[in-house]
């Protein structure tokens, strides 16, 4: 068997370090780090400023929510307190004519005549004391609703109209006082107080009081403006309001204000020029008119914005100082990195010894940094790459050899054998040299594997390959095709000589014995023989005919040699 022809190790050819092209824009690592850190610090400062702004805004929103709740409660308390005042005043008015009232009460349960006398009595009382009611308590109108439903204007004008909503509410519960805010003509707070005669309800005395004083009182206590809007369809603005006309008109034109929905938990913002306002609905119970409370929040928003600007300014100053310190700290380390960068291309050129000589030493004492770690890593990498380069060359030679050889027996494989077979065919066709091809397999090799196991079979194949290779020497090329199949190429050999060599090969194979337990198993082979080029002009035909001849030898009793003939194709 010819010895394997080792190939030279495959090594990567040296590569040239690319030169920096002229005109190419570059940005050093120093400035990349400065820009990156600056971007991060800018984002952090911006995030902190935004967080502070949001916290201040959230705190402001919480305080405003508490303020709205407090103002809504103050509005309801003021409205209810004025209702109690009107109730007390309604009880006081009949007492101004106490003697006549006593006579009326003594006359029995009220009927239409008694109610008429009561109305006249009240009209007389109001004619005498109406100016006092208007001056002291700002009462603008007094009506009487009889028990049977008739409404009478007592003071000051006999044709003054009473809100139908108040009459409807009174008829639903005539025994209880009823209060209502109405702005049909003039914005007034009405109270209907029941009037009892002889233990029965004779009707209700209705007092109408202007809300202007209530609005001014609310503004004095809270500092907030009050706007009264009409029904949502008309969206009219009631003159009774403490807000400036321009602000009143702007809010009244907003769709959310016209819908008049929500309560003190829902706030709306309006910006007019440099001024900012926040408004909300004070009392959901009032739908006509709709009561809106407006707070000026301009100064609070300016304070929040000023704090946010100051935070950004301090962040920008800190950013500049951080950049200057970073540049100072990066100067020396980057010089060492640039020197290392000029040496690293030596690794790509496989110039490991030169890199080891020129690599600067790392600091072993004192304060070490990451660059010292990188230098140690590059030094270790250089040594490892050198070893890997040598191992790669060795592995390349091994892989190249394995591409043409069988890994178990170290014989040439089918690929190398086919290449030699083509060469023999070309020699036979061009120079008239005759060659022979032997194809054989071991008889009953399966029994050996079954009885001794595959490791025994593998060792047998290795022994046989070594023995036959030694016996054949340079007379032919022995190849393993797989399993127990072998092929032998005998270049420049006549058929008669090849037949004799086949018989010799048969004896050599029989000389190999395999111990299986207490017995020794003698090997034999069935050999098929073809002549080149008589039995084929291409590798495929020759191998096929040799395989057919091998099966003919096996069919005749194993351990035989059979020379291919044309009659074998029909058998």
């Amino acid at each position: 068997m010819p010895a394997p022809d080792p190939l030279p190790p495959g090594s990567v050819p040296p590569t040239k370090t690319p030169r920096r092209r002229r005109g190419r824009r570059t940005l050093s690592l120093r400035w990349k780090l400065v820009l990156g850190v600056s971007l991060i610090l800018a984002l952090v400062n911006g995030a902190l400023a935004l967080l502070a702004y949001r916290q201040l805004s959230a705190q402001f929103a919480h305080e405003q929510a508490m303020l709205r709740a407090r103002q809504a409660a103050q509005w309801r308390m003021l409205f209810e307190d004025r209702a109690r005042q009107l109730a007390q005043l309604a009880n006081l008015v009949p007492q101004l004519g106490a003697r006549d009232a006593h006579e009326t009460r003594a006359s029995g349960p009220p009927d239409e005549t008694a109610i008429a006398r009561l109305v006249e009595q009240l009209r007389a009382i109001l004619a005498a004391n109406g100016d006092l009611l208007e001056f002291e308590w700002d009462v603008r109108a007094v009506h009487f609703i009889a028990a049977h439903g008739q409404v009478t204007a007592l003071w000051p004008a006999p044709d003054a109209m009473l809100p139908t909503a108040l009459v409807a509410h009174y008829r639903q519960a005539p025994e209880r006082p009823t209060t209502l805010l109405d702005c049909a003509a003039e914005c007034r707070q009405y109270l209907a107080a029941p009037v009892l005669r002889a233990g029965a309800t004779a009707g209700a005395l209705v007092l109408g009081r202007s809300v202007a004083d209530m609005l001014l009182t609310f503004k004095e206590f809270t500092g907030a403006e009050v706007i009264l809007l009409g029904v949502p369809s008309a969206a009219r603005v009631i003159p009774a309001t403490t807000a400036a006309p321009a602000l009143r008109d702007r809010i009244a034109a907003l769709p959310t204000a016209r819908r008049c929905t929500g309560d003190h938990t829902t706030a709306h913002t309006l910006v007019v020029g440099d001024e900012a306002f926040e408004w909300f609905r004070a009392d959901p119970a009032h739908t006509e008119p709709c009561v809106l409370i407006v707070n000026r929040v301009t100064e609070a928003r300016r304070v929040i914005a000023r704090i946010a600007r100051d935070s950004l300014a301090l962040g920008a100053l800190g950013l500049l100082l951080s950049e200057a310190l970073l540049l100072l700290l990066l100067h020396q380390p980057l010089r060492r990195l640039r020197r290392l960068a000029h040496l690293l291309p030596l690794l790509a050129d496989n110039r490991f010894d030169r890199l080891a000589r020129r690599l600067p030493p790392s600091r072993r004492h004192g304060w070490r940094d990451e660059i010292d770690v990188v230098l140690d890593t590059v030094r270790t990498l250089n040594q490892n790459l050198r070893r890997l380069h040598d191992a790669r060359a060795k592995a390349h030679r091994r892989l190249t050899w394995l591409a043409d050889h069988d890994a178990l027996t170290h014989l040439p494989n089918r690929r190398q054998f086919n290449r030699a077979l083509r060469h023999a065919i070309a020699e036979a066709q061009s120079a008239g040299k005759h060659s022979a091809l032997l194809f054989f397999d071991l008889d009953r090799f399966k029994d050996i594997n079954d009885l001794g196991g595959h490791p025994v079979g593998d060792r047998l194949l290795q022994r046989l390959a070594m023995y036959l290779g030694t016996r054949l020497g340079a007379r032919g090329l022995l190849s393993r095709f797989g399993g127990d199949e072998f092929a032998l190429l005998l270049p420049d050999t006549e058929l008669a000589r090849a037949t004799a060599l086949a018989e010799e090969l048969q004896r050599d194979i029989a000389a190999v014995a395999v111990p299986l337990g207490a017995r020794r198993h003698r090997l034999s082979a069935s050999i098929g023989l073809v002549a080149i080029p008589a039995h084929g002009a291409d590798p495929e035909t020759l191998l096929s005919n040799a395989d057919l001849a091998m099966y003919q030898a096996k069919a005749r009793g194993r351990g035989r040699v059979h020379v291919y003939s044309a009659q074998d194709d029909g058998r």
Side-chain angles (χ1 to χ4, degrees), residues 235-482:
R236 45 195 178 82
V237 180
I238 308 303
T241 177
T242 60
L247 177 61
R248 177 194 63 194
D249 296 340
R250 289 288 298 270
I251 294 179
L254 297 175
T256 52
R258 291 198 298 267
R259 286 193 296 268
C260 193
T261 57
D263 54 12
H264 67 85
T265 61
T266 305
H268 306 274
T269 303
L270 174 65
V271 178
V272 181
D274 296 334
E275 298 291 332
F277 301 90
E278 186 180 85
W279 58 273
F280 65 96
R281 185 181 179 189
D283 192 353
H286 294 154
T287 57
E288 165 59 23
C290 179
V291 181
L292 302 180
I293 297 178
V294 183
N295 290 294
R296 184 176 179 272
V297 295
T298 305
E299 189 60 32
R301 288 177 173 267
R302 288 176 180 172
V303 170
I304 294 175
R306 184 172 63 254
I307 293 176
R309 288 194 301 269
D310 294 343
S311 299
L312 288 175
L314 290 175
L317 179 60
L319 176 62
L320 293 177
L321 295 176
S322 301
E323 289 176 346
L325 180 61
L326 183 61
L327 287 174
L328 181 63
L329 293 176
L330 288 177
H331 179 69
Q332 184 63 26
L334 288 179
R335 289 185 59 188
R336 300 175 68 192
L337 281 179
R338 282 196 298 269
R339 183 179 178 186
L340 178 61
H342 289 304
L343 295 177
L344 285 179
L346 296 176
L347 286 175
D349 296 340
N350 297 331
R351 291 184 285 181
F352 305 111
D353 294 335
R354 184 176 181 182
L355 177 60
R357 291 192 304 269
R358 298 183 59 183
L359 194 65
S362 59
R363 288 176 291 193
R364 300 297 179 183
H365 305 285
W367 295 96
R368 289 169 53 88
D369 56 19
E370 288 77 3
I371 299 180
D372 296 310
V373 177
V374 171
L375 288 173
D376 292 340
T377 303
V378 172
R379 187 173 291 104
T380 303
L381 179 62
N382 184 51
Q383 297 170 358
N384 293 338
L385 286 179
R386 183 173 185 174
R387 289 192 293 267
L388 288 175
H389 182 267
D390 297 339
R392 181 178 178 273
K394 183 178 179 181
H396 179 76
R397 291 192 298 269
R398 174 66 178 168
L399 290 175
T400 303
W401 184 83
L402 287 175
D404 289 332
H405 292 80
D406 177 58
L408 179 64
T409 62
H410 294 183
L411 293 175
N413 59 12
R414 183 190 293 265
R415 178 173 177 267
Q416 183 178 352
F417 186 85
N418 285 340
R419 190 164 58 243
L421 182 57
R422 292 190 192 94
H423 180 72
I425 295 173
E427 287 287 330
Q429 292 174 345
S430 61
K433 294 181 179 181
H434 296 277
S435 300
L437 169 62
L438 280 69
F439 193 82
F440 63 94
D441 69 355
L442 303 180
D443 297 329
R444 296 185 180 90
F445 183 73
K446 183 177 182 301
D447 297 339
I448 297 175
N449 274 336
D450 292 341
L451 294 174
H454 288 282
V456 174
D458 291 343
R459 289 195 296 271
L460 173 61
L461 293 176
Q462 291 172 343
R463 286 181 54 197
L464 181 63
M466 184 180 299
Y467 179 72
L468 294 180
T470 303
R471 295 286 295 171
L472 288 172
R475 290 181 294 176
L477 178 65
L478 179 63
S479 172
R480 182 189 177 211
F481 272 32

Side-chain angles (χ1 to χ4, degrees), residues 192-264:
V195 178
L196 300 179
R197 287 295 182 267
T201 302
L205 184 63
V206 182
L207 302 181
R209 186 178 185 183
S210 174
V211 300
D213 181 64
M214 181 175 65
L215 299 182
L216 294 175
T217 301
F218 182 80
K219 181 177 181 180
E220 181 180 356
F221 287 163
T222 64
E225 309 285 351
V226 180
I227 297 178
L228 303 179
L229 298 182
V231 294
S233 59
R236 45 195 178 82
V237 180
I238 308 303
T241 177
T242 60
L247 177 61
R248 177 194 63 194
D249 296 340
R250 289 288 298 270
I251 294 179
L254 297 175
T256 52
R258 291 198 298 267
R259 286 193 296 268
C260 193
T261 57
D263 54 12
H264 67 85

